[in-house]
Amino acid sequence: QDVLEGAGFDAYEVSNHARGAGARSRHNLIYWRGGDYLGVGPGAHGRVTTGGARWATLTPKRVGDYIAGVRSSGRGPAERTRLTALEAAQERLLMGLRTVEGVALAELAALAIDPESIRALREAGLIETPPDRLVATAAGRTVLDRIIVELARGAG
């Protein structure tokens, strides 16, 4: 972190740095912000929101199976699984806290996060709670697994 910051790179995600917001990976930000993306190719996964539901997609891992699907239907076959509200919230917590922008608390409602957990993590300097958001601090991003376990403790 010190070396990259000294060279003018800002940390915008746990393992990503850029010289200014314009140089950030737009591709990866889609994942971290909970956006929709298609999984194309053998073993690819995707996330699509449609009809008020969040769907996980997964294509066959074996190249031959994928190609056979393309030949028979004209497109790559994919399993679709509807994510529950809890699963979608868990995914948002895992991905959103990786970034310096964090995640909106409304997207985590299904987790029923204990306010005491938030208070304790905030007092430890591991998270911040700007209006309607949950953000891991620089120190918190170094122990993100611990934070996620603590925040998701009461869920499902």
Side-chain angles (χ1 to χ4, degrees), residues 1 121 124-128 135-147:
Q1 296 297 328
L121 291 167
L126 300 176
I127 63 169
E128 295 172 343
V135 179
T137 62
R141 286 191 302 279
T142 67
V143 291
L144 200 53
D145 289 347
R146 171 187 163 211
I147 292 170

Side-chain angles (χ1 to χ4, degrees), residues 11-94:
Y12 68 96
E13 190 268 344
V14 167
S15 60
N16 285 270
H17 299 72
R19 286 189 171 139
R24 295 177 178 178
S25 171
R26 291 184 303 262
H27 174 85
N28 289 344
L29 284 168
I30 291 170
Y31 306 139
W32 301 322
R33 290 176 174 162
D36 289 349
Y37 57 96
L38 298 176
V40 178
H45 72 277
R47 294 293 184 273
V48 180
T49 306
T50 183
R54 183 87 166 151
W55 296 85
T57 62
L58 179 64
T59 63
K61 289 182 182 179
R62 292 189 54 230
V63 173
D65 293 341
Y66 185 82
I67 291 172
V70 171
R71 284 188 176 139
S72 69
S73 70
R75 58 185 163 81
E79 294 177 27
R80 285 181 10 137
T81 304
R82 184 179 181 150
L83 298 178
T84 66
L86 179 58
E87 290 166 334
Q90 288 169 331
E91 191 169 271
R92 285 300 298 127
L93 180 68
L94 288 167

Side-chain angles (χ1 to χ4, degrees), residues 105 108-109 111-123 127 129 134 150-154:
L105 286 169
L108 305 176
L111 294 174
I113 297 172
D114 180 4
E116 178 57 28
S117 294
I118 292 174
R119 185 198 60 73
L121 291 167
R122 188 175 50 238
E123 287 181 3
I127 63 169
T129 54
L134 196 57
E150 180 63 30
L151 293 172
R153 186 179 311 273

